[in-house]
Structure formats: structure tokens, C-alpha cells
Amino acid sequence: MSTPSELPSLALYVHVPWCVRKCPYCDFNSHGVGRQSTLPEQDYLRALVADLEADIALVGERSLTSIFIGGGTPSLMSGDFYARLLEAIAQRVPLARGIEITLEANPGTLERGRFAAYREAGINRLSLGVQSFQDDQLQALGRIHSGDDAQRAVSEARQAGFDNLNLDLMHGLPSQTPELALADLDQALALAPEHLSWYQLTLEPNTEFHSHPPALPEEEILWDIQDLGHERLEQAGFHRYEISAYARSERRARHNINYWQFGDYLGIGAGAHGKLSQPGNDGLRIERRWKTRQPEAYLRRLDDPRGFVAGAREINDDELVLEFAMNALRLVDGVALSTWQQHTGQPAERLAECLQPARDKGLIVEDPSRLQASPRGLLFLNDLLTLISET
């Protein structure tokens, strides 16, 4: 059981499970519907609101610090859908002043014309899934947009009034060279986003790429891409604050930081996950919950007395150390040892004594007041987590 008595900050994640076509690398809960399918917007809206209402009793008097709408492809839904959803949320849960509300969107022509409606609905941060500006790479990734589509999407987002824009980019793509990876970064930087998510393509289980893997760059090339790309981003004024996240000053993603700082979050929608803390006799009881995964089954739960929760699991004391470390150590600045003790109940002195193997391997920064991964530790985070889990 976690020892702090004060409840952590609270965010909300909303999952929209549909997309035009499932990408071969995607392991998220997404379901391809084609370009012409009509989505059940009204039924899904009713289900989301009912899902939220069922969770409200668990959050206390806290306000939402951020809302993130992910998928799938959330930009398949209309602006009116989000206007009504955000209004319903605000009627049921207090919103913090200046709340960050993010929507993931595809750069394809199907969604771009809706950006103005999304901004009017109250969404103030847009995350565009660009992945690459090279058309051959986009085709290899199964994306439905082109590099030109991505550039036009950024222009239309700006015209719609979005002044907080994230671009998602992948590296380590099939047959990618360092020169091609840097060309993608340069095109992204030329569009002047406030935030960049730059992460390596991985072959996840239960994906098409895992079953039929493409030819990925050799490890030495991947190291070169990471080193050169990190240097290029820093030179352009983007500061790395998380393993794969770079931002201009004051533009870090509040919602994601809440995850890494072990904050709480509600998860509503098909397959959404949440983490909630509840007061206990000697601290906080932390529970992870997940909702019915299949969209059709999720919609049927609207009239089902069982509700939308598919399962829940309390984090026990043995798991808490690793759970907290897995999140906090993604942040480049790491975590203060006092915060470590507060969240895990483990004395900071004991952790410090047990980390000598990590120091010997150069995986942590030598700072007696913090637990912070070194640049090498960020590259070999799983090794560092293994050492911590053995404390």
C-alpha cells in the first residue's frame, strides 16, 4: 500500500477505438472500419458519459488537470461529438483552470477539415500522427496519408487556431538511414511545432509486423540515428524531458507528465485503462482498472448492470516499487529520493545502498538526492529497472 495520504493529481483518458485501417505496427485497441463507414457517434457518446458517471464516485473532490483523447483515430468523430462530450465532462467533474485538452488526429484529408470544429469544441492541443514525411516509408508503415498531407494538416491546424501542436515521428523505419531519419526531423522542425514525440519503431506482439517483420536498420545505424537526432533536436531548441518526448519551453505534455509522475487517471471508452488511488487505513490503495475492449461489446454494456469495467487489480507492496520506477525513470530528470520514499514506502537509504551495480554500469546519475537515469540508463532502461526491482 502506498504511504502518502494526499490524493495525487487526476487526469482523464478517453479512448476512441476506430480507425480507417489498422497499421501493421499498431498494438493499440484499434479497429479498422474503412473510409465510408458511419460510426455510432451518438451511442458511443452516451456510453462514454455513462462510463464516466460510474467512475466519478472514485475521484473525490479533485479537478481534472488534463484530458487526452486517443485511439484509434479520434479525428474520425465530428466536432459536435467532442463539443457535447466535453460539455458533459465539465458538468460532472471540475476542470482545472487552463486545462490541457489533447486530441490525436491523422493528417489524412478525411479529417483535416474538422480541425476548426475541434478547436471550437474546446480542444486546445492537437497531436498529429505524422510518423514520416517520406511517402515510401508511409506506405511501408501502412499509413493512409502522404508527406504533403502532413504538411497541409499542420497549416490547417494553425489556421484553425491551434497554438499547441505535437508531431509524432518514428525512426528506425524499414531500410532507414541516418540521413533519411534526419530529413524527417528537419521537415518536422521546419513546421515549428511546440512538441515532438520521436520514438523508435518496435515490433510488438500481436501485430502484423511481429508476424511478418520488415527489414529494420542494424543496431549500429539505430544508435547513429538516435545520437544525431537528439543533437539536432537540442540544437533546434527542443529539450528532451522524457525518453521519446521533446518540447519547447513550457510546452511539455501535462497529461503524459501526470502518467510519469504516478498521478491518477480515469480511463473511459472501449479498452481504456485507468489508475486510481483511494484512502486506506495506513496510506493509499492503488488500483488499475480496464474497460470492456471490443467496441460492440462496450456499447452493449450501456444497458448492462455490470457496467463497463472488465477487470481491476490492486497494486500490492511488492509491485509498487517497479510500477513507480517504470514511470518516474522515463523522465529525464528522474525523481527526488524523498518522492520515491513517499510513493513506494521504501526507505531512500535502502534504495541508495542497492544501486551500486547500476552505478558500476553507468546507468544512473551520481546525485545523492535523486534517482535519475543517465543518458546510458535511458537507453538501457529495462536493465536499470531490473536492478531496482531486485532491491
Side-chain angles (χ1 to χ4, degrees):
M1 181 175 289
S2 182
T3 56
S5 57
E6 183 179 343
L7 291 173
S9 58
L10 179 70
L12 172 66
Y13 175 75
V14 182
H15 191 74
V16 178
W18 297 286
C19 54
V20 173
R21 183 176 66 201
K22 190 171 181 71
C23 297
Y25 59 83
C26 178
D27 67 336
F28 297 141
N29 183 32
S30 58
H31 304 263
V33 295
R35 288 183 177 271
Q36 306 302 321
S37 296
T38 300
L39 297 178
E41 282 199 358
Q42 301 309 313
D43 289 342
Y44 200 62
L45 178 63
R46 288 175 54 231
L48 288 174
V49 173
D51 193 353
L52 176 63
E53 287 182 336
D55 281 354
I56 285 176
L58 303 172
V59 305
E61 301 299 321
R62 287 176 286 177
S63 300
L64 292 176
T65 60
S66 65
I67 299 172
F68 192 100
I69 305 164
T73 304
S75 52
L76 289 177
M77 308 300 253
S78 68
D80 180 67
F81 173 87
Y82 289 115
R84 294 172 63 189
L85 174 62
L86 293 175
E87 181 181 11
I89 292 170
Q91 289 172 347
R92 290 161 175 81
V93 190
L95 305 184
R97 187 180 183 87
I99 185 173
E100 174 191 274
I101 304 176
T102 303
L103 177 81
E104 288 186 333
N106 262 357
T109 55
L110 181 66
E111 297 88 25
R112 280 205 321 268
R114 296 178 174 177
F115 289 170
Y118 297 149
R119 186 67 190 90
E120 186 176 347
I123 294 161
N124 54 27
R125 183 174 183 270
L126 200 64
S127 181
L128 288 173
V130 173
Q131 314 311 354
S132 175
F133 291 94
Q134 314 300 321
D135 288 346
D136 57 340
Q137 294 282 17
L138 290 169
Q139 291 173 9
L141 291 172
R143 304 295 288 174
I144 63 172
H145 68 274
S146 67
D148 287 343
D149 285 335
Q151 300 205 39
R152 283 193 293 267
V154 171
S155 177
E156 292 195 17
R158 295 303 195 195
Q159 293 172 16
F162 283 99
D163 62 0
N164 195 358
L165 184 66
N166 171 64
L167 300 183
D168 268 357
L169 280 180
M170 284 185 176
H171 61 86
L173 304 181
S175 303
Q176 190 178 53
T177 63
E179 292 75 18
L180 287 173
L182 290 178
D184 268 344
L185 275 182
D186 286 340
Q187 290 189 67
L189 292 170
L191 296 172
E194 285 69 37
H195 190 284
L196 273 167
S197 298
W198 192 60
Y199 51 94
Q200 184 176 322
L201 171 65
T202 56
L203 306 183
E204 301 292 345
N206 302 315
T207 66
E208 183 180 334
F209 271 2
H210 190 266
S211 301
H212 303 91
L216 299 182
E218 295 180 358
E219 189 169 309
E220 184 175 342
I221 294 175
L222 293 175
W223 290 126
D224 287 344
I225 288 173
Q226 289 192 29
D227 290 343
L228 293 169
H230 175 72
E231 182 180 359
R232 184 70 53 90
L233 286 163
E234 291 285 342
Q235 290 173 348
F238 282 82
H239 302 293
R240 187 188 193 191
Y241 67 94
E242 188 264 340
I243 285 180
S244 58
Y246 297 76
R248 296 191 186 276
S249 180
E250 306 301 323
R251 291 296 193 167
R252 300 189 305 172
R254 283 184 244 159
H255 188 85
N256 289 343
I257 288 176
N258 184 64
Y259 288 149
W260 312 140
Q261 292 182 338
F262 218 49
D264 279 355
Y265 53 97
L266 295 173
I268 62 173
H273 285 238
K275 168 191 168 284
L276 289 169
S277 303
Q278 297 292 309
N281 293 330
D282 55 351
L284 295 180
R285 181 176 61 84
I286 301 174
E287 183 182 68
R288 294 198 179 276
R289 298 153 57 87
W290 54 95
K291 304 298 173 63
T292 300
R293 181 178 175 86
Q294 292 295 324
E296 295 81 6
Y298 177 83
L299 289 173
R300 288 196 297 270
R301 288 291 186 103
L302 183 60
D303 300 312
D304 190 321
R306 293 175 297 173
F308 299 93
V309 177
R313 180 180 66 83
E314 184 173 340
I315 302 175
N316 63 43
D317 291 344
D318 293 335
E319 298 169 319
L320 189 56
V321 166
L322 184 58
E323 286 259 1
F324 183 73
M326 285 174 61
N327 287 276
L329 285 176
R330 290 185 65 94
L331 292 169
V332 171
D333 292 338
V335 60
L337 287 186
S338 58
T339 304
W340 169 272
Q341 182 168 340
Q342 183 184 41
H343 279 281
T344 66
Q346 183 186 81
E349 295 79 9
R350 179 185 172 195
L351 175 68
E353 292 172 359
C354 295
L355 282 177
Q356 191 58 49
R359 295 189 190 94
D360 295 341
K361 295 176 182 292
L363 299 179
I364 59 173
V365 173
E366 292 287 353
D367 186 335
S369 66
R370 301 189 67 77
L371 175 63
Q372 180 181 1
S374 65
R376 178 177 176 82
L378 290 171
L379 290 173
F380 297 98
L381 187 58
N382 285 339
D383 293 346
L384 178 54
L385 291 171
T386 298
L387 292 173
I388 290 173
S389 68
E390 294 172 351
T391 60

